[in-house]
Amino acid sequence: GEDQNDDDDKIIINDEFLILATDGLWDVMSSQEVVDFINQKMDAFDDNPDASDKATLQDKMANFLVSEALRRGTMDNVTVVIVW
């Protein structure tokens, strides 16, 4: 068989972050949904000058994703690590 290239699985040097997560997240969110979720949260920070420190928001982002997976009804354990 032929090797298939899937660019979604490659780490590109210009990527803003890397998400490591258990099935509990991926069962209820696609990789694009996770990226969009993070970008929406970060954009909201950029639009609000009174928001807390950006590093603090980044620190909390994994917890936000866990909460979102639980809200969407995941039935599996959820662990999320984001490398910025």
Side-chain angles (χ1 to χ4, degrees), residues 18-22 25-26 79-83:
L18 171 69
I19 303 157
L20 306 171
T22 58
L25 179 67
W26 305 122
T79 301
V80 177
V81 175
I82 304 173
V83 180

Side-chain angles (χ1 to χ4, degrees), residues 58-76:
Q58 288 176 335
D59 289 344
K60 294 180 178 179
M61 193 63 66
N63 287 334
F64 292 153
L65 281 169
V66 169
S67 295
E68 181 65 13
L70 293 170
R71 188 188 71 76
R72 292 184 183 209
T74 188
M75 300 302 288
D76 206 343

Side-chain angles (χ1 to χ4, degrees), residues 3-11:
D3 288 336
Q4 293 188 7
N5 283 335
D6 185 0
D7 288 337
D8 289 341
D9 294 338
K10 293 181 181 176
I11 298 174

Side-chain angles (χ1 to χ4, degrees), residues 29-76:
M29 296 180 80
S30 70
S31 57
Q32 189 59 56
E33 287 175 314
V34 171
V35 169
D36 291 345
F37 181 88
I38 291 172
N39 285 333
Q40 284 179 333
K41 291 277 191 195
M42 296 309 291
D43 288 348
F45 168 83
D46 291 339
D47 293 342
N48 183 358
D50 295 327
S52 61
D53 180 65
K54 188 173 187 175
T56 301
L57 180 61
Q58 288 176 335
D59 289 344
K60 294 180 178 179
M61 193 63 66
N63 287 334
F64 292 153
L65 281 169
V66 169
S67 295
E68 181 65 13
L70 293 170
R71 188 188 71 76
R72 292 184 183 209
T74 188
M75 300 302 288
D76 206 343

